[in-house]
Every structure is written in C-alpha cells, then in structure tokens.
Amino acid sequence: MAAKTRLVTQPVRSGTQIYARGADLVVTAAVSPGAEIIADGNIHVYGALRGRALAGAGGDVDARIFCSRLEAELVSIAGRYLVSEQLPSEQQGFPVQIALVDERLTVTRN
Amino acid sequence: MAGKVIVLTSGKGGVGKTTSAAAIAAGLALRGHRTVVIDFDVGLRNLDLIMGCERRVVFDFINVINGDAKLNQALIKDKRNDNLYIFPTSQTRDKDALKRDGVERVLEELKDSFDYIVCDSPAGIEHGALTAMYFADSAIIVTNPEVSSVRDSDRIIGLLASKSRRAEFNMEPVGVHLLLARYSPERVRKGEMLTIEDVKEILSIPLLGVIPESESVLRASNTGTPVVFEEESPAGRAYHDAVARFLGEQRELRFLQPERRSFFRALFGRA
Amino acid sequence: MRLLNLIFPERRTSAVIARERLKIVLAHERASREAPDFLPVLQKELLDVIGRYVEIRSDMIRVNLGRTGDTSLLEINVELDGAGVKPTKSGAAGDGRAATRIEPGAAAPWVKPS
C-alpha cells in the first residue's frame, strides 16, 4: 500500500487527468465523464464516479477502487480493465468496491 | 482499391459536422462500403456520443499515434452495421497531440482495410482543423444558411485549395462539396433565411445535399443513433440522398417545401 | 438576368440583405487572401531604403492597404519628425508560445483486458 494520500476536493472535470504517483487518491466530489483519475495505490471517490479510474497503476494487484456511485466509463486495477458496458448492471449507480481477484475484476456492493 | 479520405469541415462551430459525419459514415456503411469515422476534435470529443459508443471507448486516436496502442485495439465496431467502425479521440489531451506524421501513418494503415475514412474535423482554422483537412481526397463543407457560417465556409474552401497536401504537391485538388444543413423551407418562404441558390451562388461549389431542420436530429444524438438509422426522418433520408450523390448517383432534392399542415402531418407523423 | 427585378423588385427581406452583405464581404476577403503578406516585407524594405538617406525608426513608417467603395488604396506614411535615433529593425514577432506542458506522469502503463 502507498504511504501518502493525495486529496482532491473539487469536482474532476471532463478532460482532466490526475495521477497520484506512489500514493492513494481520495476524491470528495464527482468525477465527470471524460476525466481520468489514476493512482499507484487505491482510489476512493466520495461522489459519483463517471469517468475513468485506474488504480494500482504501477502494477499493485492489491489496489482497490471505492466509490459512492458507480457510473464509470472504465475501471482498471494493475492494468486489467473493464469498460462501462462490461460492469454488472445491477451495481450501476451504487456504492461499490472493485478489486482484482485471480486476475478478474470483481465489483461488490459496499 | 485504397481507401478514400473524406473530411467533414466547416470553419464555423455547431453547424452539424459531427451529426453529418456520423450520418454519412453510417450511410456509406449501409450501402456496403467498409467505413471508419474518426474524431479529430481532441479534448472535446463528441463523435463517440453521437455514435452511441461512449461506453466502449478504451484506446483512442492519440494512443495509436503515440504507439501506446494498436489500431485494432482502438477501433470500435458499430453494433448496428458490420461495415461501420468508430475511431474515438482523447478527451484528456489537446490538439497539439495530433502530430502530422503520426496522423499520416495511421491514415495509411486505415486505407488498407477501409473503403472510406470519414474525418470529423473540429471547428476553427487552427491545428486540429488543418490536420483533419490536410490528407483529404474529398471535403464536405457543412454550411448553415446563415451569414457567419457561409463566410467561414468560404474561408475553409480557400484553405483547402492552398493548405492541403494535394495543394502542396500540386496533385489533383481536393474534391469539395457543399452540404447545406439546418435548412428551413418555412423560413425561406418568409424571406428570413438565405436560399439554397443564394448559398450555392456565393460559395460556387457543387451541392451535395440539403438537410432540413428536423426534430429527429436531437433525438438521434440523445439516443446515440446516427439519424440515417431512423427510417421516418426527413433528415435521415436527406443524408441517404447525399450519400447516393457522393457515390455518383442522381437524386432530386427533396424536403424543400414547407410542410403542409393536417393531412400530411397526420399521415407521416412527426418530422 | 436581373431584368425581371426591374419589373418585380425583390422585397428587401432579411434574407436578401444577408445575401448582399455576404457578397460584398466575401469579395473583399477573397481579394485580400491573394496578397496580404507582402505588406510587412514592403514596410521593411521601405525602412531599409529610406534609412539610407534619413535617420528613421521602424515606428515612423506605416503601410496600409485599404478600400473605399470599389477603389483599393495603398497608403504609405513616413514621419520625418523624430530626433535622429539609430534605425531599428522591425522585430520579427516570433511565435512566442512557449509551451510548458507538464505531462502528468505518462505512467498509467496500459492495459490488459480483465
């Protein structure tokens, strides 16, 4: 796990790219479609995740993504990804955590 | 036969380039031609939304130009037609990421597998728009019957004649075609809108088609379905006619008369 | 061609006004597209030539291409009032866009399907 945490308190707008190098990323606002949030560690979004979230960007397979509202365009952990269409529809719009289990991304209700 | 590059350009923003690029690419695919439509509006991408594939975007044009991904990883196959592919662009980069030699390499690769490569240009006359038009074999100038749009289209036609690759290498010039969009027969009848003849005469380029103002266009972008897929829509049918003319067929201009009320409206439903 | 217009003059609707304005504006723009670029060069060459005979600065010369109605006018203004300062070359504007882009670590090593 990463030692520090990067905190973002403003909405992450479309076209913005945030990279928390060597750290976790916490966002306490919404992430717009077309925005990209990346962390070597975990990602926590206390808001709607509508853009792309890439955790464990440096290869950490234990990294996770947490969000209050799943509406993501794409989620990825350590390079494995799922696009919006592939995310389980029953989880769309709910608080979830996403983890990598046996090379597969799993989405579980928080 | 190597693929042909068609650019949809206008100068002026908001005239219907993306709607038209989507409709024309889909129209060509429906006619059996392998077609790819590319979004050149880096940083303000819209083509994926209009085509309805925004939830399937993984890699984009800039990724491929930079060598981070292969072409077949970025191309999205349309679910409605096997001949139609979408090549989205990046939302996080900007137009400086469009390197001309990278674009050239990608277009050359696309020419091997596609009959038509439709390029949706951004508005303006800066790097993005100039790159989109540089490699064109044909250009469709999307114009609204309105003063600013006509003036900007004139500028773009001038640029195509001087700043395209064909112009620089003294090859046969880019084939330019006029596509008049958002035409309202009712407003023309009242004298409030420039006529087709006005615009044709002022711009002096061959007319490819006239697309009537239509509610179906908003519906199309709302649902992510290019308007040619809607059978009943006058705009959709006008785009089909434009595609036919592009392919060399003769078609009469239609939808030029103000709608007659009651009887016909009842028969054909909403525009 | 416009004979019919004498008998049935066109109503001056806003569309007609738009058409007329467009024709005028585009006629000007197309003409100026042909040779707008010679003006700065002309200005510089005039500066060089005149500078051989008079102490002159670049801001004392102004070259302008204008139009009144149908007539094109090339206007050259040379001020000879200034105190004798060494002639300065009219500087090249340069593109001046220093692009300082900080790429957010090109990191996110792309990607394998899950």
Side-chain angles (χ1 to χ4, degrees), chain B residues 99-222:
Chain B
K99 300 183 177 30
R100 189 166 277 186
D101 48 347
V103 172
E104 180 170 22
R105 192 180 36 83
V106 170
L107 289 176
E108 285 304 309
E109 204 183 326
L110 285 168
K111 282 184 184 185
D112 291 336
S113 357
F114 289 96
D115 300 320
Y116 291 105
I117 300 157
V118 177
C119 302
D120 181 19
S121 173
I125 48 169
E126 307 304 324
H127 180 67
L130 292 176
T131 308
M133 72 167 59
Y134 186 74
F135 298 100
D137 299 310
S138 301
I140 298 176
I141 318 295
V142 184
T143 310
N144 291 165
E146 179 273 321
V147 292
S148 321
S149 174
V150 174
R151 184 188 201 175
D152 290 359
S153 289
D154 191 71
R155 182 86 166 92
I156 284 284
I157 295 167
L159 285 172
L160 276 162
S162 59
K163 289 226 172 13
S164 61
R165 180 169 67 174
R166 282 177 171 239
E168 281 182 16
F169 289 94
N170 262 315
M171 296 158 63
E172 204 184 306
V174 178
V176 291
H177 309 264
L178 174 62
L179 185 69
L180 199 58
R182 291 227 168 86
Y183 182 78
S184 164
E186 186 54 34
R187 305 194 68 184
V188 165
R189 190 189 62 79
K190 289 191 204 165
E192 290 171 11
M193 180 177 270
L194 290 166
T195 66
I196 300 170
E197 282 313 311
D198 289 338
V199 182
K200 264 179 76 176
E201 192 205 344
I202 290 170
L203 292 178
S204 307
I205 58 174
L207 180 66
L208 185 70
V210 177
I211 315 295
E213 185 75 81
S214 171
E215 299 163 350
S216 56
V217 170
L218 181 59
R219 255 205 313 279
S221 62
N222 283 348

Side-chain angles (χ1 to χ4, degrees), chain B residues 10-78:
Chain B
S10 64
K12 185 107 176 58
V15 297
K17 278 183 299 304
T18 305
T19 302
S20 301
I24 289 172
L28 286 166
L30 283 164
R31 298 280 307 238
H33 301 282
R34 274 184 67 89
T35 310
V36 58
V37 56
I38 312 178
D39 192 346
F40 270 79
D41 204 347
V42 185
L44 285 173
R45 75 170 177 216
N46 287 311
L47 187 62
D48 57 322
L49 272 178
I50 302 301
M51 295 296 298
C53 64
E54 74 276 9
R55 289 158 50 116
R56 297 159 63 203
V57 178
V58 182
F59 294 104
D60 59 57
F61 195 13
I62 305 302
N63 290 143
V64 178
I65 288 175
N66 290 341
D68 297 328
K70 295 230 173 319
L71 198 50
N72 62 351
Q73 290 176 293
L75 289 176
I76 299 175
K77 187 168 173 172
D78 192 273

